[in-house]
Amino acid sequence: MSTQDSGLQRGLKNRHIQLIAMGGAIGTGLFLGSAHVIQSAGPATILGYAICGFVAYLIMRQLGDMIVHEPVAGSLSYFSDKYWGPFAGFLAGWNYWILYVLVAMTELTAIATFIQYWWPMIPAWLIVLVFFTIVTVINLANVRFYGESEFWLAMIKVLAVISMILFGLYLLFSADANSTASIQNLWQHDGFFPHGFSGMFFMLAFMLFAFGGIELIGMTAAEAENPAKNIPKAINQVVWRILVFYVASLAIILSLVPWNQLQLGSLDQSPFVMIFNQLGISWAAHLLNFVILTAAISVYNSGMYGNSRMLYSLAIQGNAPQVFKRLNRQGVPIPAVIFSSTLIFGCVLLNYFVPEKALKNLMYVAVTGLVLNWALISLTHLRFIKQMKAQHIQRGYPALWSPLSNILVLIFIAMILYIMWQEGLKTSVMLIPVWIAVVYLMYRLLKPKAVE
């Protein structure tokens, strides 16, 4: 076993790992962000999420292939360094870290939106500050405590989505002649593609954000019990469950009320809550808002965990200041947690100065980091399989259709960048080479000997 694992404790069981990954992906992208997508794509939203979910599965299998071979902390950064080179590892680690700082800030902002559904008079920055404090404290505790907190937070939303699907089916099958509920709503109102195929195609970049976080399984590798067994099990089970949750739940709500009659005024509204309001079932809307709130807290909690472990891994590799590899007696990287949370605190300031634009801006910038992160996974995996074949090493959990799946993933990522460019997100796309250049500068400053 790698020395990467030496200080962390293997306190995460299979149920923790599955719910951490599921918790990372079922959040704002499904419950909140889908409002914007539905307005643009109509019922074709269902197909769009299915496509993104399938690509996410291919990427997870590629990451899982490397993790099962060597279950270490900060998996992507470690693998990029080992199979590609020092700068690739440096870039992968720091990109992952900044990505989850942005994801955490996005979820914190979403939490304020859900609280204001009940108490609109409370300022967003104050709500953000309260939940920022709570989640930081959770992550300063031992890993088993974190695992339990995330297990139950994620369990609430998973059970809620299942309940919503069942309740939606009941409303569909018990609907009378005067009801708007009908499965025909999926194709009757200007068709399945009401704005043409392009209406869905140009929303794929936004849908992709919904699956950001699923790769958190990689961050659990060094703290998982029996990773060779539990990691593949978690990947196989989590991905199809998430896909079912997204596709089934969206199909249900788009059947209950025609997509063009959904009263979605802005991005900062949940179609899941709004639809039950429209149907006059206010208790369901309030209950669902509570569930969506726990979903956002769960993703934030997972993001904070991933942040601290990546920073710890970067320090172990010599890619970050050595203070971040310090652990307390419970095996928690305290300095890494505190530093990550300090950056996330910027979300409080963002919500204080520009609360009306905070969520949208954070989502778009986070997609940029996610695209680069997924590209690095696929490219690193190509080098990994090349080395495994050269050394005639049998892999324990080979990726699906590789290397064809890697090519498919990279084509999809190039397509997402094209969509972002066409949809007025040129700044986000241009940020990628700028960000790589900034990281290279950091690399030269922190590791001058490596580039001489």
Side-chain angles (χ1 to χ4, degrees):
M1 187 63 63
S2 166
T3 55
Q4 284 259 79
D5 301 349
S6 57
L8 299 176
Q9 298 180 358
R10 293 197 177 274
L12 297 178
K13 300 180 184 296
N14 179 51
R15 64 185 178 91
H16 294 141
I17 295 166
Q18 289 203 40
L19 270 293
I20 286 168
M22 203 175 289
I26 302 180
T28 303
L30 172 61
F31 290 122
L32 193 63
S34 53
H36 177 55
V37 177
I38 290 169
Q39 287 176 329
S40 302
T45 299
I46 300 164
L47 176 61
Y49 276 108
I51 291 169
C52 290
F54 177 67
V55 173
Y57 176 63
L58 294 179
I59 292 167
M60 281 306 302
R61 286 296 301 265
Q62 292 162 16
L63 183 60
D65 192 350
M66 296 184 286
I67 291 170
V68 170
H69 179 70
E70 198 171 359
V72 294
S75 57
L76 177 57
S77 175
Y78 175 82
F79 297 136
S80 297
D81 182 276
K82 183 173 181 178
Y83 300 109
W84 202 351
F87 176 64
F90 191 91
L91 173 63
W94 281 106
N95 182 69
Y96 189 99
W97 179 78
I98 197 68
L99 167 62
Y100 279 95
V101 166
L102 291 167
V103 167
M105 292 172 76
T106 304
E107 298 300 333
L108 260 177
T109 302
I111 288 168
T113 300
F114 301 134
I115 292 291
Q116 287 178 327
Y117 175 75
W118 294 310
W119 301 291
M121 74 294 297
I122 303 178
W125 68 267
L126 183 58
I127 298 168
V128 167
L129 180 61
V130 170
F131 283 93
F132 164 81
T133 305
I134 293 170
V135 173
T136 300
V137 169
I138 288 173
N139 277 268
L140 289 170
N142 67 58
V143 71
R144 192 176 290 275
F145 180 74
Y146 158 74
E148 285 299 326
S149 69
E150 183 53 30
F151 176 83
W152 291 108
L153 281 170
M155 183 62 78
I156 289 170
K157 63 185 173 186
V158 168
L159 291 175
V161 174
I162 293 170
S163 301
M164 183 184 64
I165 291 170
L166 295 175
F167 185 51
L169 286 172
Y170 164 75
L171 292 175
L172 268 177
F173 289 118
S174 63
D176 57 35
N178 298 320
S179 172
T180 61
S182 170
I183 196 168
Q184 295 179 356
N185 287 331
L186 297 180
W187 61 81
Q188 272 193 342
H189 302 274
D190 298 321
F192 187 72
F193 294 96
H195 298 302
F197 181 77
S198 63
M200 182 209 75
F201 177 78
F202 285 107
M203 282 293 103
L204 285 175
F206 203 91
M207 294 184 211
L208 188 69
F209 176 80
F211 293 93
I214 196 170
E215 69 278 8
L216 271 165
I217 285 181
M219 299 308 300
T220 68
E223 293 172 280
E225 292 181 354
N226 195 0
K229 176 186 175 183
N230 288 335
I231 296 293
K233 191 175 180 181
I235 290 172
N236 290 337
Q237 293 180 3
V238 164
V239 178
W240 75 260
R241 286 178 189 173
I242 289 174
L243 195 53
V244 167
F245 289 156
Y246 274 74
V247 172
S249 61
L250 286 165
I252 293 296
I253 70 160
L254 290 172
S255 296
L256 292 175
V257 173
W259 73 273
N260 56 352
Q261 293 178 29
L262 284 174
Q263 297 168 7
L264 301 172
S266 71
L267 175 69
D268 297 333
Q269 290 180 312
S270 166
F272 293 83
V273 173
M274 293 302 109
I275 198 164
F276 285 113
N277 267 336
Q278 279 182 240
L279 292 170
I281 312 172
S282 59
W283 64 266
H286 285 287
L287 180 61
L288 201 51
N289 194 67
F290 167 75
V291 170
I292 295 170
L293 172 64
T294 65
I297 297 169
S298 165
V299 178
Y300 172 33
N301 196 27
S302 291
M304 176 73 85
Y305 169 82
N307 265 334
S308 59
R309 269 49 180 186
M310 180 54 79
L311 201 50
Y312 166 79
S313 174
L314 284 166
I316 291 289
Q317 295 167 30
N319 288 334
Q322 294 301 287
V323 65
F324 296 127
K325 70 177 183 182
R326 291 182 186 171
L327 304 171
N328 66 4
R329 290 180 182 178
Q330 285 75 44
V332 179
I334 298 293
V337 173
I338 292 173
F339 183 72
S340 295
S341 64
T342 302
L343 267 289
I344 293 167
F345 184 76
C347 186
V348 179
L349 303 176
L350 190 64
N351 277 273
Y352 181 80
F353 290 109
V354 284
E356 69 287 346
K357 295 179 180 178
L359 182 63
K360 184 175 181 180
N361 291 340
L362 283 168
M363 272 188 161
Y364 284 144
V365 177
V367 167
T368 306
L370 178 63
V371 164
L372 181 56
N373 186 50
W374 282 10
L376 287 168
I377 290 173
S378 216
L379 289 167
T380 299
H381 181 256
L382 279 172
R383 290 179 171 267
F384 165 77
I385 57 176
K386 184 179 179 181
Q387 192 170 126
M388 293 298 102
K389 285 178 182 177
Q391 296 175 9
H392 305 288
I393 295 174
Q394 197 75 18
R395 287 135 61 203
Y397 185 54
L400 190 68
W401 306 339
S402 194
L404 176 61
S405 63
N406 300 73
I407 296 167
L408 288 173
V409 166
L410 294 170
I411 290 172
F412 182 80
I413 287 171
M415 189 173 70
I416 293 297
L417 293 174
Y418 168 77
I419 291 169
M420 292 171 69
W421 188 271
Q422 292 295 317
E423 288 295 287
L425 300 174
K426 291 181 180 180
T427 305
S428 295
V429 177
M430 289 188 290
L431 269 177
I432 294 176
V434 172
W435 168 236
I436 293 172
V438 168
V439 174
Y440 184 71
L441 231 90
M442 289 169 55
Y443 174 70
R444 293 204 60 141
L445 289 170
L446 285 172
K447 303 189 77 171
K449 290 181 182 178
V451 292
E452 284 175 359

